[in-house]
Amino acid sequence: YGTFTNGVKNFGYQLGLRAESSNYEGKLTETKETFTNKYPISLFPSVFLSQKLKKQQEVQLNYTRRINRPFFMQVIPFIDSTNQLNWTRGNPALKPEFTNSLEASYSKTMKNNNNIMASIYYKHSTNLITQYLEQETNVSTGNTYLVNTTINANSSYSTGAEFTLQNTLTKWWNASTDINIYNSK
């Protein structure tokens, strides 16, 4: 990865780019079943722009691309029945989730370091990693049960606005208030 940070007068910026690739391979010792998943090289740019205004005000615009890879237990393809009420199984075909985020914000610092910040944001994710229940039948008993697994959903998006207040009430007491209004699909 690499980043470059600079500023001109009251304008600041940071540009970043990261490249990642990962592969995993697994083999079940009893059944000799193997599974692999190869993630090609992906690029993750980031852009952070800020403009300081008069009277301790600032506006910012940020863009990032992120990855959420499946963790180890989410890809192991055997059933974990140690908890009889919650059987789980990994999914070796699970792909990583990618998210593009865009955020614009305004902040103002007032007397006594009290601060207000208002932001609007948009996030779009693909290959959304989500929980999924499958019905399984035990071949030896004929009983059916539910198995909790993880799959990739198509995509998701969320838009919203967030308002944050930070107030110094006394030298030893600070209060933070946060309101987040959003829509997610």
Side-chain angles (χ1 to χ4, degrees), residues 125-150:
S125 297
T126 57
N127 289 332
L128 186 66
I129 296 175
T130 187
Q131 297 295 312
Y132 183 74
L133 282 176
E134 293 180 326
Q135 186 171 331
E136 298 281 334
T137 302
N138 185 325
V139 289
S140 61
T141 65
N143 294 335
T144 60
Y145 52 92
L146 294 176
V147 176
N148 190 4
T149 189
T150 311

Side-chain angles (χ1 to χ4, degrees), residues 145-163:
Y145 52 92
L146 294 176
V147 176
N148 190 4
T149 189
T150 311
I151 62 168
N152 290 110
N154 189 20
S155 64
S156 73
Y157 75 87
S158 60
T159 57
E162 186 171 19
F163 305 95

Side-chain angles (χ1 to χ4, degrees), residues 4-170:
F4 178 76
T5 304
N6 202 351
V8 178
K9 295 186 181 182
N10 290 328
F11 177 75
Y13 60 93
Q14 178 178 316
L15 307 173
L17 184 63
R18 188 177 83 245
E20 288 189 17
S21 174
S22 59
N23 302 315
Y24 70 82
E25 182 177 314
K27 181 177 181 181
L28 300 179
T29 55
E30 289 184 21
T31 65
K32 307 297 186 220
E33 179 185 358
T34 62
F35 52 95
T36 62
N37 207 334
K38 296 180 181 184
Y39 306 132
I41 292 178
S42 297
L43 298 177
F44 299 93
S46 61
V47 178
F48 300 92
L49 308 173
S50 65
Q51 176 68 51
K52 292 186 188 289
L53 306 172
K54 295 178 180 178
K55 299 182 181 179
Q56 294 188 307
Q57 301 176 86
E58 185 174 6
V59 291
Q60 296 180 349
L61 181 63
N62 306 325
Y63 165 77
T64 58
R65 182 169 189 250
R66 292 184 221 122
I67 186 171
N68 176 22
R69 274 189 218 85
F71 66 89
F72 183 69
M73 293 303 290
Q74 288 178 312
V75 296
I76 297 177
F78 65 85
I79 293 178
D80 177 2
S81 59
T82 53
N83 178 345
Q84 290 296 306
L85 298 176
N86 184 26
W87 288 20
T88 60
R89 176 180 49 226
N91 177 357
L94 198 60
K95 297 176 184 171
E97 172 183 306
F98 294 94
T99 301
N100 289 293
S101 298
L102 185 63
E103 180 179 6
S105 63
Y106 164 82
S107 66
K108 176 163 178 55
T109 303
M110 298 167 280
K111 286 195 288 184
N112 299 328
N113 267 348
N114 294 321
N115 189 300
I116 183 169
M117 184 165 164
S119 302
I120 56 173
Y121 59 87
Y122 172 80
K123 295 179 184 177
H124 179 256
S125 297
T126 57
N127 289 332
L128 186 66
I129 296 175
T130 187
Q131 297 295 312
Y132 183 74
L133 282 176
E134 293 180 326
Q135 186 171 331
E136 298 281 334
T137 302
N138 185 325
V139 289
S140 61
T141 65
N143 294 335
T144 60
Y145 52 92
L146 294 176
V147 176
N148 190 4
T149 189
T150 311
I151 62 168
N152 290 110
N154 189 20
S155 64
S156 73
Y157 75 87
S158 60
T159 57
E162 186 171 19
F163 305 95
T164 304
L165 295 171
Q166 293 181 338
N167 299 99
T168 303
L169 303 175
T170 67

